């Protein structure tokens, strides 16, 4: 799948852009970007929490910590998402 | 400046209304996502000590409070800025300076 927005799907000639295809590709790219953002922040936070003085490799306790940290970060993310959504709904109800 | 006048200005003609609606919806969704990322990061610092086998109820309550207080802070800042702008303008209103 090319990274472009369908201008290359050129096999069909004529070069007409299909809005449906564009929207699907954009949705995928957005989802990928969000996953990357999440991973980047999670890695940062879990590195800070779990790695003290960096050794020659990740020892067992560090790995366990990172695994737990990942799950807790996801829990936190979901909690924040729900809380924010509730707040938005409340604000809309009050308008 | 809405998206249709933007695209006309760019010489693109009018955007397919279906695409336009899609852009608006996805933009809204992304604003939400970005704020969730940001608040999760901030609130993690305030609410998480050592990552345990599950998110305990105290930590969970902290996250919820954190979100609410963050929004409150944001609103407070906007409101107060609006008030102080009236008496002592901080930001210049004219674009040409």
């Amino acid at each position: 799948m090319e990274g472009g927005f369908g201008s290359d799907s050129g096999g069909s000639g004529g070069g007409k852009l299909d809005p449906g295809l564009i929207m699907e590709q954009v949705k995928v790219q957005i989802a990928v970007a969000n996953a990357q953002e999440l991973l980047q922040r999670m890695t940062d936070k879990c590195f800070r929490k779990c790695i003290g003085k960096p050794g020659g490799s990740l020892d067992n306790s560090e790995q366990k910590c990172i695994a737990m940290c990942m799950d807790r970060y996801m829990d936190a993310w979901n909690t924040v998402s729900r809380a924010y959504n509730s707040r938005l709904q409340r604000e809309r109800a009050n308008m | 400046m809405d998206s249709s006048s933007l695209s006309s200005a760019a010489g693109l003609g009018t955007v397919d209304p279906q695409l336009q609606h899609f852009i608006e919806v996805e933009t809204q969704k992304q604003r939400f996502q970005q704020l969730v990322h940001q608040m999760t990061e901030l609130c993690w610092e305030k609410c998480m000590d050592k990552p345990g086998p599950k998110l305990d109820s105290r930590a969970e309550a902290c996250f919820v409070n954190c979100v609410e207080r963050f929004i409150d802070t944001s609103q407070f800042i906007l409101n107060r800025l609006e008030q102080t702008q009236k008496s002592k303008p901080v930001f210049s209103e004219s674009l040409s300076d």
Side-chain angles (χ1 to χ4, degrees):
Chain A
M1 194 195 250
E2 46 295 49
F5 284 103
S7 52
D8 244 65
S9 47
S12 48
K16 189 151 195 231
L17 300 177
D18 172 10
L21 191 64
I22 292 173
M23 294 196 289
E24 284 317 302
Q25 288 183 333
V26 168
K27 278 196 204 164
V28 168
Q29 291 181 334
I30 289 173
V32 168
N34 271 319
Q36 283 178 340
E37 180 105 44
L38 184 63
L39 238 54
Q40 186 177 45
R41 296 183 194 230
M42 182 194 278
T43 303
D44 183 278
K45 293 305 176 195
C46 293
F47 183 84
R48 285 175 202 265
K49 286 274 185 225
C50 293
I51 313 299
K53 204 141 172 80
S57 66
L58 290 178
D59 66 44
N60 262 326
S61 62
E62 285 169 333
Q63 290 187 32
K64 275 203 194 118
C65 179
I66 293 169
M68 274 201 297
C69 179
M70 287 173 68
D71 292 343
R72 299 298 73 75
Y73 196 84
M74 280 315 307
D75 291 340
W77 199 94
N78 287 325
T79 301
V80 168
S81 182
R82 275 193 308 263
Y84 184 38
N85 198 35
S86 301
R87 175 60 181 259
L88 284 179
Q89 304 221 16
R90 221 177 313 139
E91 295 288 324
R92 270 182 218 134
N94 286 340
M95 279 217 269
Chain B
M1 206 186 204
D2 67 10
S3 43
S4 62
S5 52
L6 249 173
S7 58
S8 303
L12 294 174
T14 44
V15 177
D16 179 336
Q18 192 189 13
L19 270 179
Q20 198 169 310
H21 175 74
F22 172 78
I23 289 168
E24 282 162 13
V25 167
E26 289 303 316
T27 303
Q28 265 292 69
K29 280 198 214 162
Q30 258 319 96
R31 268 193 222 122
F32 178 87
Q33 289 283 73
Q34 274 308 114
L35 223 56
V36 173
H37 284 309
Q38 187 186 358
M39 287 191 286
T40 303
E41 190 165 27
L42 283 169
C43 297
W44 178 271
E45 291 305 320
K46 296 202 179 287
C47 296
M48 245 357 224
D49 303 313
K50 228 173 154 21
K54 71 177 191 72
L55 202 65
D56 71 50
S57 49
R58 209 184 316 172
E60 178 148 10
C62 181
F63 277 104
V64 174
N65 285 335
C66 182
V67 169
E68 296 282 343
R69 300 298 75 75
F70 183 86
I71 308 295
D72 289 344
T73 304
S74 179
Q75 289 179 340
F76 183 93
I77 288 172
L78 285 173
N79 289 334
R80 188 164 181 281
L81 192 67
E82 197 184 318
Q83 285 167 24
T84 56
Q85 273 281 81
K86 283 180 188 153
S87 47
K88 284 189 301 179
V90 175
F91 303 109
S92 170
E93 301 236 318
S94 62
L95 288 171
S96 58
D97 250 34

